[in-house]
């Protein structure tokens, strides 16, 4: 009887696995892109705009209330958001491509 219960539990577990494997991680998609598909850390605002064009939207700056809190600017492009500290890129975050993809939520506006 115990053997049957363990076997049924194993079958149920294996039956649930294909659904989890169907999800695509955002990081996997981003790693497959060419290195120049997004701005690189350290590039200036002028370099980003020259290479990728004007952003779809320039979100309101955040921070800057104190010297320890530098102003962060955010530019929205069709497939990613670029974060700048002063005039330099500090991070780039890719948008989710589909509902099946696991990754970050859209930026707070």
């Amino acid at each position: 009887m115990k053997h049957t219960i363990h076997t049924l539990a194993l079958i149920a577990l294996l039956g649930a696995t294909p659904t989890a494997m169907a999800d695509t991680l955002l990081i996997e998609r981003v790693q497959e892109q060419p290195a120049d598909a997004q701005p690189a850390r350290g590039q200036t605002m002028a370099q980003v705009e020259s290479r990728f064009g004007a952003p779809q939207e320039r979100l309101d700056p955040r921070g800057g209330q104190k010297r320890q809190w530098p102003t962060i600017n955010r530019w929205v492009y069709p497939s990613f958001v670029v974060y700048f500290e002063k005039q330099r890129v500090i991070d780039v975050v890719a948008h989710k491509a589909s509902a099946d993809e696991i990754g970050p939520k859209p930026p707070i506006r």
Side-chain angles (χ1 to χ4, degrees), residues 12-85:
L13 180 62
L14 292 175
T17 303
T19 304
M21 294 177 103
D23 291 338
T24 301
L25 293 177
L26 176 61
I27 194 166
E28 292 170 354
R29 177 174 53 90
V30 172
Q31 288 173 343
E32 292 172 2
Q33 293 178 346
D36 62 347
Q38 294 181 341
R41 185 171 289 180
Q43 288 184 323
T44 65
M45 287 180 166
Q47 289 171 322
V48 172
E49 193 160 9
S50 171
R51 170 74 171 86
F52 298 95
Q56 288 180 328
E57 186 177 2
R58 293 174 197 243
L59 301 175
D60 292 335
R62 299 285 191 224
Q65 297 90 339
K66 293 184 177 182
R67 184 180 172 105
Q68 305 93 315
W69 303 337
T71 301
I72 304 297
N73 289 290
R74 301 165 296 158
W75 290 4
V76 179
Y77 284 90
S79 60
F80 53 83
V81 178
V82 184
Y83 292 81
F84 298 93
E85 182 179 317

